[in-house]
Amino acid sequence: SADRITYFGGKSQGTEKSTRVKARVKTLAFKELLETKEKVIIMAHKNPDMDAFGSGIGIYKMVTALGKTAHIVVNEVSSAISPIYGNFTSSNSYPADMIINNDQALSLVDDDTVVVVTDVNNPTLTEFDHHRQTKDVIANATLSYIEPFASSACEMIAEMLQYMDEKIKLRPTEADAMYAGILIDTDNFLSKTGVRTFEAAAFLKRSGADVMRVRKMFR
């Protein structure tokens, strides 16, 4: 069926090509989905790490570029994200309700809302504790994008940003957040790192991510 989740494996060039096609197809499908709704709630797993938060920022950017309202759910600011979190909450560049908590999110959800879950596919681990009885993969997802060979969610979202026709311009703080997600998930590019990891990092660097600034923040 069209909803079946497909896993791509292997290290061949064919796989590289097919997963690039997959990234483009998923980006277009995501855009089509957003066109039918007005509001987007973005959340990750409980106690989000930098990859979860950074990929949430990337999705926020994608959604707002399409003229939709977006909110990121964060209930607890862990030490893992605190070095960068303040860049978003203490800046006048972002609306006060960019980052909200569970209760605020639940009060916003209606038929005109898309819920985007990043960096996790087990419902019991999400910020929403919605007690749905499933076998540890989120059921009835309209769109699933699982890429076992990606280094991080931030790598996947960096690719999607580049496939958007809107030519999205990241702010340096946003590029920093996504770059930090890749940096930490790959242990400074030492593990789970493929060609596309470096390509995503290069895109974020071109977008204003400051490698030294990010390293200092997380030292």
Side-chain angles (χ1 to χ4, degrees):
S1 79
D3 292 339
R4 199 174 61 222
I5 295 168
T6 312
Y7 291 89
F8 286 73
K11 293 265 189 284
S12 69
Q13 220 170 350
T15 304
E16 187 88 345
K17 214 177 232 143
S18 65
T19 52
R20 273 187 199 288
V21 172
K22 186 182 173 191
R24 188 176 274 123
V25 167
K26 294 291 184 183
T27 305
L28 291 173
F30 184 51
K31 279 180 67 173
E32 279 172 22
L33 177 63
L34 291 176
E35 273 155 21
T36 65
K37 305 287 180 184
E38 282 310 309
K39 260 187 310 211
V40 181
I41 305 281
I42 303 157
M43 64 174 169
H45 46 77
K46 296 180 182 116
N47 300 326
D49 56 16
M50 209 46 240
D51 188 37
F53 185 64
S55 53
I57 294 291
I59 292 167
Y60 179 89
K61 227 19 211 191
M62 232 183 280
V63 169
T64 52
L66 294 169
K68 308 292 179 178
T69 307
H71 310 277
I72 302 172
V73 181
V74 177
N75 288 310
E76 209 175 314
V77 183
S78 63
S79 58
I81 66 170
S82 58
I84 273 181
Y85 183 84
N87 292 347
F88 297 93
T89 50
S90 61
S91 165
N92 297 328
S93 311
Y94 299 98
D97 63 355
M98 173 194 189
I99 295 172
I100 58 174
N101 64 26
N102 236 352
D103 295 339
Q104 291 168 300
L106 287 167
S107 71
L108 288 170
V109 172
D110 56 22
D111 290 342
D112 215 13
T113 309
V114 178
V115 176
V116 179
V117 178
T118 175
D119 197 34
V120 61
N121 67 349
N122 180 333
T124 58
L125 300 176
T126 60
E127 287 281 20
F128 270 1
D129 188 10
H130 54 24
H131 307 296
R132 192 187 279 150
Q133 298 298 307
T134 77
K135 276 213 164 51
D136 53 21
V137 170
I138 292 171
N140 309 321
T142 310
L143 180 66
S144 285
Y145 185 14
I146 296 170
E147 186 52 88
F149 286 86
S151 71
S152 52
C154 283
E155 176 187 316
M156 292 167 70
I157 302 303
E159 284 193 345
M160 288 179 76
L161 282 165
Q162 293 173 82
Y163 286 129
M164 294 277 286
D165 307 327
E166 280 63 27
K167 292 289 165 272
I168 295 169
K169 183 89 184 75
L170 290 177
R171 293 185 174 130
T173 48
E174 296 158 351
D176 275 1
M178 295 184 71
Y179 185 85
I182 295 177
L183 193 72
I184 287 161
D185 263 37
T186 59
D187 189 16
N188 289 332
F189 296 99
L190 292 175
S191 71
K192 293 190 297 181
T193 309
V195 172
R196 286 162 67 179
T197 313
F198 289 108
E199 286 173 353
F203 160 70
L204 294 170
K205 196 162 184 335
R206 285 196 304 276
S207 301
D210 186 320
V211 180
M212 290 314 292
R213 182 170 60 216
V214 171
R215 285 193 180 213
K216 271 191 192 128
M217 271 190 239
F218 289 94
R219 193 163 283 155

